[in-house]
Amino acid sequence: MKVLCMLQLACLVGFSAARTREWAHHGAPMFADLTVQEMKAIRSYLHGIPEMKLTDARSETLKRNSILLMELHLPKKHEALRALDRGQAKPPRQARVIIQFGNQTTPNITEYIVGPLPSPRSHEVRTFKGKKPVQFESRPITIVEYDHIENLLNKIAAQAYKLLFETTGGFSYANCSNRCLTFSDIAPRGLAPGERRTWIMLQKFVEGYFIHPIGFEVLVNHQDLDPEKWTVEKVWYNSMYFDSVEELVEKYESGEVEKLKLPEHNDEDLYSTYIPRGHSNTPTDIHGPKLVEPQGHRYSIDRNFVEYAGWSFAYRVRSSAGLQVFDLRFNGERIAYEISLQEAIAFYAGDTPAAMQTKYIDAGWAMGTSTYELAPGIDCPEIATFVDLYHYFDTDKPTRHKNALCIFEMTTAMPLRRHFNSNFKGGYNFFGGLENTVLVLRTTSTVYNYDYIWDFLFYPNGVVEVKVSATGYIHATFFTPNGLHYGTKVYDYVLGNLHTHLIHYKVDLDIVGRDNSFETIDLKYVNFTNPWSPNNFIVQSKLHRTEHKTERSAAFRFGKKFPRYVHFYNPSEKNKWGHQKGYRIQFNSHAHSVLPKGWREEVGISWSRYPLAVTRHRDSEATSSTIFTQNDPWEPAVSFEDYIRNNENIVNQDLVAWVTVGFLHVPHSEDIPNTATPGNAVGFFLRPFNFFNEDPSLASKSTVIVRPGQDGKPKVQRWTPEVVGHCVTDKPFFYNGTYAGV
């Protein structure tokens, strides 16, 4: 009877696991990005509505009504969970569409929810929390607007042709063949809501032009939808300000302005190029190590649903923000409903007007659409699975980004765990070890000069690592002596400007269900009489737990002491040892705030006040930033501070952790030509904290144990076949374990 009961229990467990997996797979398409067919259907539907008067996005006029962006609109969480946890029907797919209405008396930006997909037949206006309006001037710049800016710059450069030509040693903006100038534009575009005034700096158009400023910057007012009415408000040249290009040219010709002459660089000694230079001691005729999969992939992918070593999840790459993971489960148990990139900022300082105005808020540049092709063997191992991504931003048809996401398994070249048990007599009792392999989900965003590498790593012991690595070109401005207060001279006339990178993530944890609580754990010293030596005292650390009951209590400010452990747990679920099941967030970050609280642009990034803030889940609080914040940070459509202002109860509730990571970057000469990734990676870990009864990676059959046999020879115990050949090694596994004097 006992055996029968055990068999029945095993069958029930197996059936439950299969059903859980089936439901996760069934629900994954809810989170999949819009397909090409869906995008085309949405465009056709909206263009078929006469009162919208939509025209092509690439129409030359700015006085037009056109689609700016379309991306998936996520279902409400409770509706999605019915499909994920009960296998019920999925809610209809919908799209979020941003339309800019420029062809009307009062231009505006309107967001719509369009559905159901794949055959849309209805649309409704989407508003932000508090129904905050979106200023028309806060819209991102489009290709068409850039074309008009180019036309204006051509006129400006023609006026200042001689000055630019003499300053740069023969470079010009037009009719320039291989000695051309280009530009970078700065944001935010103004100093207050409703403005659209942009500082633009000219650079030599060579490989890596971001670090070739020429000392010429102009402030352009392009608020009017008629480009003929655009004006130049200020000019900066060689540390001097002018009210017009004409004033600068006149004073240049009269000798009232000191003339610059930049050193010439030919292609051979171009300091911004990737072409190798200098002496290397690495052999060039021998390849470095490569990853191999002796018997092929150990993970599976079905569209946006991924499974690996007990892990399963769905993913998407949101066009406005970037990489996101949904319904993250380990051995069938959900750990997180959503882990998603929300925003990335880089706030600069400097002496030139462009430098002091640079406060990049990258969702405003449609950061998620900057996911370009990944190079096998460089961006991802050659063995990776590469996936195409599709976006619809500032376009008239979907754009395919080939091989823009990759998934691969890799060895970390570090054991997950190991132990050598010495017998202290020149031998050992046993050696045990387990190799560490992880699954990596990766994409990149190249937002003009900077390249961000976005990673999710899934470990066999129930740990998730979320990481971003920064590389690409620094944002450089023209060197001035006063600029050394704000950065480092990295080349002739080039200042690498100090800046702080901050990255914001949403982490919607569901620890054995939605009803979770949050506590912090610190240490306190205790001093008591030694029980076995009463004349002495013991001083040691003691756990000090603080349950946080409200959102404001769980919002931790930068500059204040941060708790040692931050712990999310289910009060109603315990492991075998009586501890509440939980996960903790462990930071790998050197972040700090970028502006004083409430200071102008800081209002738009109020999330940057907190390395961690915990809120109660609300579908109306889906994101911490928007695509409009870059050009209107002063009165943002979404204010993260509003999420914690009502100070809701967070005990035994559905909780969301908002995580900020980042680092200060003071550029240095080694950032030429590019910032390198070592030391420039930050992120956080999700680590089980009494969630399991023991380390779940014990289930791995890759463990190796070595014990000395009675004959003195090592006895190797393993549960997987030894890999010999297959481009790995031609030698069998060998371990001796002895040690002796020599």
Side-chain angles (χ1 to χ4, degrees):
M1 179 62 72
K2 185 177 180 180
V3 173
L4 180 61
C5 289
M6 290 179 66
L7 286 172
Q8 289 176 330
L9 180 62
C11 288
L12 285 172
V13 170
F15 174 74
S16 176
R19 186 176 61 181
T20 298
R21 187 264 173 200
E22 179 185 337
W23 290 347
H25 181 262
H26 159 73
M30 292 186 294
F31 308 111
D33 287 312
L34 298 178
T35 65
V36 170
Q37 292 73 23
E38 288 173 330
M39 292 176 184
K40 290 181 177 179
I42 293 164
R43 184 184 190 278
S44 178
Y45 167 73
L46 292 173
H47 273 254
I49 301 173
E51 55 268 28
M52 285 196 177
K53 300 178 182 179
L54 295 182
T55 60
D56 289 350
R58 298 297 172 88
S59 301
E60 184 176 339
T61 178
L62 296 177
K63 296 179 180 179
R64 69 180 189 280
N65 301 345
S66 61
I67 297 172
L68 177 67
L69 170 81
M70 62 174 74
E71 61 185 16
L72 177 72
H73 178 65
L74 289 172
K76 289 182 170 60
K77 183 175 179 179
H78 72 275
E79 294 177 351
L81 289 178
R82 284 200 289 263
L84 294 169
D85 293 345
R86 304 179 200 170
Q88 295 182 7
K90 299 184 288 288
R93 277 172 65 80
Q94 297 176 310
R96 168 193 178 226
V97 182
I98 300 176
I99 297 180
Q100 47 187 11
F101 290 99
N103 186 22
Q104 54 190 41
T105 305
T106 306
N108 71 71
I109 292 284
T110 305
E111 292 200 11
Y112 294 95
I113 305 303
V114 180
L117 302 178
S119 303
R121 54 181 180 271
S122 67
H123 61 282
E124 62 180 38
V125 174
R126 175 184 182 264
T127 58
F128 293 100
K129 186 174 183 179
K131 297 187 177 180
K132 294 181 180 178
V134 177
Q135 293 260 12
F136 189 67
E137 289 78 11
S138 69
R139 70 195 186 279
I141 292 213
T142 61
I143 291 293
V144 172
E145 191 168 2
Y146 274 126
D147 288 343
H148 290 296
I149 289 175
E150 283 266 15
N151 293 337
L152 179 59
L153 287 176
N154 270 311
K155 296 176 183 177
I156 293 170
Q159 289 178 278
Y161 176 82
K162 181 181 178 183
L163 177 152
L164 296 174
F165 193 88
E166 292 179 349
T167 297
T168 60
F171 282 71
S172 58
Y173 201 83
N175 304 319
C176 49
S177 62
N178 65 340
R179 297 177 73 80
C180 296
L181 297 175
T182 187
F183 73 93
S184 286
D185 55 318
I186 305 304
R189 305 179 190 280
L191 299 172
E195 294 186 359
R196 205 163 176 84
R197 301 187 299 150
T198 300
W199 275 102
I200 295 171
M201 60 178 179
L202 297 190
Q203 301 145 320
K204 291 182 179 179
F205 190 39
V206 295
E207 281 190 8
Y209 61 85
F210 303 105
I211 53 176
H212 288 271
I214 67 166
F216 185 94
E217 301 177 2
V218 293
L219 176 61
V220 173
N221 187 327
H222 52 114
Q223 181 175 354
D224 201 285
L225 294 181
D226 181 358
E228 294 299 320
K229 297 180 179 178
W230 291 0
T231 58
V232 174
E233 295 188 348
K234 285 288 180 184
V235 182
W236 184 90
Y237 175 77
N238 196 14
S239 298
M240 296 179 65
Y241 286 90
F242 306 89
D243 290 328
S244 66
V245 179
E246 292 83 0
E247 181 192 0
L248 166 60
V249 171
E250 180 182 327
K251 292 183 176 180
Y252 181 87
E253 294 288 355
S254 66
E256 295 179 62
V257 175
E258 182 182 351
K259 296 183 179 182
L260 284 173
K261 183 163 180 56
L262 304 183
E264 294 192 28
H265 302 282
N266 56 39
D267 291 340
E268 287 72 31
D269 64 0
L270 188 65
Y271 59 90
S272 57
T273 183
Y274 268 62
I275 296 173
R277 53 186 180 268
H279 175 71
S280 172
N281 291 313
T282 304
T284 57
D285 58 343
I286 303 174
H287 282 291
K290 297 287 185 180
L291 276 179
V292 297
E293 292 177 317
Q295 282 87 37
H297 299 330
R298 299 198 299 178
Y299 58 89
S300 65
I301 306 172
D302 185 359
R303 293 171 294 180
N304 73 318
F305 183 66
V306 181
E307 294 177 284
Y308 166 76
W311 291 105
S312 71
F313 59 88
Y315 73 85
R316 72 181 282 221
V317 179
R318 184 181 173 212
S319 295
S320 53
L323 189 58
Q324 305 184 336
V325 163
F326 293 89
D327 192 30
L328 176 64
R329 307 187 190 207
F330 189 77
N331 291 338
E333 288 192 278
R334 183 177 301 110
I335 293 166
Y337 175 77
E338 175 184 355
I339 309 174
S340 57
L341 174 62
Q342 295 291 308
E343 185 61 274
I345 67 171
F347 275 38
Y348 288 76
D351 189 46
T352 79
M356 62 183 72
Q357 180 67 6
T358 303
K359 299 173 181 66
Y360 287 139
I361 305 173
D362 288 339
W365 306 77
M367 175 170 62
T369 66
S370 304
T371 50
Y372 301 110
E373 183 173 1
L374 300 170
I378 300 172
D379 294 317
C380 312
E382 291 90 341
I383 61 169
T385 299
F386 290 86
V387 180
D388 296 347
L389 298 176
Y390 297 86
H391 298 291
Y392 196 108
F393 173 70
D394 189 22
T395 182
D396 290 308
K397 59 183 179 180
T399 303
R400 176 192 179 199
H401 291 238
K402 183 177 173 59
N403 295 344
L405 179 141
C406 69
I407 300 171
F408 58 93
E409 184 183 11
M410 72 172 188
T411 174
T412 64
M414 173 73 70
L416 185 70
R417 59 174 174 272
R418 58 97 65 193
H419 179 64
F420 175 83
N421 193 245
S422 173
N423 66 4
F424 303 104
K425 299 176 182 178
Y428 64 107
N429 299 314
F430 78 93
F431 165 83
L434 174 62
E435 65 178 345
N436 189 14
T437 57
V438 298
L439 186 76
V440 181
L441 173 69
R442 173 175 294 170
T443 189
T444 63
S445 295
T446 302
V447 191
Y448 289 84
N449 58 303
Y450 253 107
D451 295 66
Y452 294 107
I453 302 170
W454 309 104
D455 284 344
F456 283 79
L457 296 89
F458 304 92
Y459 291 81
N461 61 337
V463 172
V464 181
E465 182 181 2
V466 182
K467 182 171 71 171
V468 55
S469 304
T471 179
Y473 286 96
I474 58 173
H475 177 66
T477 55
F478 194 76
F479 176 80
T480 66
N482 196 48
L484 290 174
H485 295 292
Y486 308 106
T488 306
K489 186 176 183 179
V490 293
Y491 220 82
D492 292 327
Y493 295 101
V494 183
L495 183 81
N497 297 79
L498 74 84
H499 55 283
T500 296
H501 293 277
L502 293 182
I503 316 295
H504 203 225
Y505 289 94
K506 178 183 181 181
V507 185
D508 183 353
L509 291 166
D510 283 357
I511 308 299
V512 201
R514 298 180 69 177
D515 296 335
N516 292 172
S517 292
F518 170 67
E519 69 172 359
T520 56
I521 304 175
D522 279 296
L523 298 179
K524 282 192 171 182
Y525 292 124
V526 290
N527 186 335
F528 56 89
T529 301
N530 188 329
W532 49 269
S533 181
N535 293 330
N536 293 284
F537 293 89
I538 297 291
V539 176
Q540 61 184 16
S541 296
K542 179 182 180 181
L543 292 175
H544 178 73
R545 299 174 183 265
T546 303
E547 181 184 23
H548 294 267
K549 297 183 178 182
T550 62
E551 291 175 325
R552 183 60 70 184
S553 165
F556 302 92
R557 291 290 303 272
F558 278 115
K560 301 290 182 66
K561 182 182 177 183
F562 192 73
R564 304 284 286 275
Y565 275 36
V566 291
H567 177 215
F568 296 81
Y569 63 95
N570 189 313
S572 304
E573 296 287 338
K574 296 182 178 180
N575 70 2
K576 182 178 178 181
W577 315 113
H579 296 291
Q580 290 155 331
K581 290 189 172 185
Y583 258 74
R584 68 184 184 97
I585 298 177
Q586 178 177 311
F587 284 70
N588 173 29
S589 172
H590 316 286
H592 207 279
S593 57
V594 291
L595 285 174
K597 180 182 177 181
W599 176 259
R600 296 189 175 183
E601 296 88 356
E602 193 272 348
V603 175
I605 55 164
S606 54
W607 53 263
S608 70
R609 300 169 186 171
Y610 311 101
L612 175 68
V614 181
T615 65
R616 192 166 165 178
H617 176 273
R618 299 287 181 193
D619 286 315
S620 61
E621 299 175 355
T623 64
S624 62
S625 190
T626 74
I627 200 170
F628 310 112
T629 306
Q630 173 66 93
N631 293 328
D632 188 2
W634 310 281
E635 294 179 355
V638 168
S639 173
F640 178 76
E641 192 68 24
D642 290 345
Y643 294 2
I644 58 179
R645 187 168 282 124
N646 55 3
N647 203 24
E648 290 188 286
N649 170 47
I650 59 170
V651 176
N652 211 18
Q653 301 290 339
D654 189 358
L655 303 183
V656 177
W658 302 88
V659 175
T660 304
V661 297
F663 62 96
L664 168 67
H665 185 184
V666 180
H668 43 89
S669 54
E670 293 82 7
D671 283 313
I672 301 298
N674 256 189
T675 296
T677 54
N680 289 316
V682 295
F684 60 94
F685 292 86
L686 294 178
R687 298 183 59 184
F689 193 69
N690 297 313
F691 188 86
F692 305 101
N693 295 329
E694 59 184 2
D695 187 337
S697 68
L698 276 170
S700 173
K701 300 300 188 286
S702 297
T703 297
V704 174
I705 302 174
V706 185
R707 300 183 180 91
Q710 292 183 349
D711 58 359
K713 295 180 180 179
K715 302 296 182 184
V716 179
Q717 187 176 14
R718 62 190 316 148
W719 289 262
T720 55
E722 188 171 350
V723 179
V724 179
H726 299 284
C727 299
V728 180
T729 178
D730 57 358
K731 299 177 181 178
F733 178 85
F734 177 77
Y735 191 87
N736 182 274
T738 61
Y739 56 98
V742 292

